[in-house]
Amino acid sequence: MLIYSILFILLSNAVTFRRDKSILYSRVAIIALLYSSLLAFNSLYLTYLDTGIGLYGGLFHATGITQTFHVFIFLISATILQLTAFYPRRVLILEKSSLYSLLFYNIAYYRTNIINKMGEQFKIIEYPLIILFIITGAVFLVSTSDLVSIFLSIELQSYGLYLLSTLYRNSELATSGGLTYFLLGGLSSCFILLGTSLLYANSGTTNLDGIYVITSLSDTCFAHSDNSSILHWYQPHYINMALLILSVGFLFKVSAAPFHFWSPDVYDAIPTIVTTFVAIVAKISIFIFLLELVHYTSNTLFQNEFSWTSSLLLSSLFSLIIGTVVGLTQFRIKRLFAYSTISHVGFILLALSINSIESIQAFIFYLMQYSISNLNAFVLLISIGYSLYYYVNDNPDYLDLKDKNNSPIQLISQIKGLFHLNPTLALSLAITIFSFVGIPPLIGFFAKQMVLSAALDSGYVFLTLVAILTSVISAVYYLNIIRQVFFDKPEYIINPALKDVNMSATLIHTSVQNKENVSTEKLKFKYQNIILSSSLTITISILTLVISLFIFMPQQWLSMANILALILFNT
């Protein structure tokens, strides 16, 4: 379905000259993703009944975990595509907002700035096409079971992300950020390629199932060292070192410390709409791939003195500390979100490297809730920028910001006093940030509690203490945002040029019986009638309700995470 969609959008791009078709292509891509999620959901019964299905001669496999996260990636991506599939603002005139009026009337207004029709994201027809390429790579990576398909999948995903980062051709910041991402992403790909080549050289097979078997056998032979053993030359540290090098490349991709240095600069430089996709979808696919790799290479009959998963624990420790401590000094909001992401990656890696049923359940749950909370945070950031349409601010710090059209909110101080301007958006932002902190009864609290419980049960007392301390310290920079939003006075004033202006619109009524019988009516409206579009408000409402009301509907989420963990341990 994804490949068909890519082909059709390519053909459509080839025969059109109109750049404003981008909004239509984004809607087509959303429909394709929703249908793909339905196909993946319908195939879940095939994978839950057994240990999974091999595809294309063992290059890929379909299991309960892969299919579940296919559905999750499709739904998250469709939500992100809404940002470019609908205009961000609309005009609401209450007198003409009855159900009958909504069905049979259409309001036309000719100032395109009101609805941001000329925004650059609506003039890039390649945008949904590149996102579909990235999603294809992500889906392949989740399902991969061969060294060849690993590299092809991660590169398909990464190349799309590099292009997406530099897609805003007129933005100097986006170009420099995308170039940084490309150069350091190429370096991480070298580590992945070196790791895969060493795995093949040491095992003689590219199939991951074969490598898992050899890992277990080599551990057995190492424990019963005998020169006459056929497998004596398969020393465990060979494969462990190869997997260690491979993991360095993937830790680069997910911006885990100490390989995190590219992410704050890239997140801050590229447009916020692009940051939303780069920060979420790229991580989900890599973590699910690492889940199976960690599980099958660390479940050996005899434990060695050294295991490559120890590097994940070390990276988890660094991520928790660096993401928290360095985040305290940030005043740019997307850089702060980048360091927040690094801190959360520390929790995810901690759950991943423990590799028990409880920790895998915590890992799956944490990854899902973090993706939803992060998505809501970025959508809120974009919506706040659009909601300040008729306000002006004379602060010289804001006037000198670069690339304001693509990233209207760049400094934390720009959302100062938001509660006095838009209480609903401020409350949604507060709920999301409190979830990041881990305050009960929000969903983030339960995710952190599950990870810490699994770590304590497995004897990781020091890492648990570090995780608790860093969570408390990170609350400082989160609560600083809350303080500025709710307790500071706003620096914005209503634009004098719009204050007393009567803007005009035309109300068009088309008869159902006779399409040619069209009546029109002139309307006047004020700046207060310009509001956020339904696509943004409904998305924010649903995501905020999921975050805040999790305590009333926990069973489905927890049961799904538990079932997926049990399936993994039973295979």
Side-chain angles (χ1 to χ4, degrees), residues 429-449:
L429 183 63
I431 290 170
T432 307
I433 287 174
F434 281 140
S435 179
F436 282 151
V437 176
I439 292 177
L442 303 176
I443 195 169
F445 165 76
F446 296 99
K448 287 189 175 181
Q449 182 261 336

Side-chain angles (χ1 to χ4, degrees), residues 15 29 52 90 95-97 114 297 347 352 412 465 469 541:
V15 297
R90 64 190 177 99
E95 297 79 17
K96 302 295 181 180
S97 298
I114 291 174
T297 55
F347 274 95
L352 178 64
I412 297 173
L465 286 172
L469 284 171
S541 302

Side-chain angles (χ1 to χ4, degrees), residues 14 22 92 156 170 251 272 304 333 398 442 457 476 493 510 550:
S22 171
L92 177 66
L156 178 59
N170 299 326
L251 291 174
T272 308
N304 309 306
I333 193 159
Y398 306 156
L442 303 176
D457 287 348
V476 174
I493 58 169
T510 305
F550 168 76

Side-chain angles (χ1 to χ4, degrees), residues 78-95:
T79 308
I80 295 172
L81 267 169
Q82 281 191 102
L83 299 172
T84 52
F86 301 95
Y87 294 122
R89 288 185 290 263
R90 64 190 177 99
V91 173
L92 177 66
I93 302 172
L94 289 175
E95 297 79 17

Side-chain angles (χ1 to χ4, degrees), residues 450-500:
M450 288 170 71
V451 173
L452 296 174
S453 173
L456 275 178
D457 287 348
S458 300
Y460 294 94
V461 179
F462 175 70
L463 273 171
T464 306
L465 286 172
V466 171
I468 293 170
L469 284 171
T470 52
S471 290
V472 173
I473 295 169
S474 67
V476 174
Y477 59 69
Y478 287 128
L479 295 177
N480 177 48
I481 299 176
I482 300 294
R483 179 186 61 79
Q484 294 198 40
V485 167
F486 285 88
F487 299 107
D488 288 356
K489 289 185 178 179
E491 297 178 349
Y492 292 94
I493 58 169
I494 294 168
N495 191 343
L498 294 176
K499 210 166 189 179
D500 300 317

Side-chain angles (χ1 to χ4, degrees), residues 193-208:
L193 195 58
L194 177 60
T196 52
S197 60
L198 288 174
L199 275 175
Y200 175 66
N202 291 325
S203 63
T205 179
T206 60
N207 191 273
L208 289 182

Side-chain angles (χ1 to χ4, degrees), residues 43 46 50 89 119 128 189 222 231 251 269 303 318 383 390 402 463 515:
S43 62
L46 291 171
D50 208 342
R89 288 185 290 263
S189 297
F222 184 68
L231 291 174
L251 291 174
Q303 291 298 323
F318 286 145
S383 301
Y390 42 80
K402 294 181 179 178
L463 273 171
K515 296 292 183 184

Side-chain angles (χ1 to χ4, degrees), residues 237-277:
H237 56 267
Y238 289 164
I239 292 180
N240 266 321
M241 290 304 294
L243 288 170
L244 176 63
I245 294 169
L246 184 71
S247 69
V248 167
F250 282 110
L251 291 174
F252 252 110
K253 301 282 187 188
V254 296
S255 68
F259 313 107
H260 66 284
F261 39 82
W262 60 270
S263 65
D265 295 330
V266 172
Y267 282 22
D268 195 36
I270 60 181
T272 308
I273 286 177
V274 177
T275 312
T276 309
F277 199 85

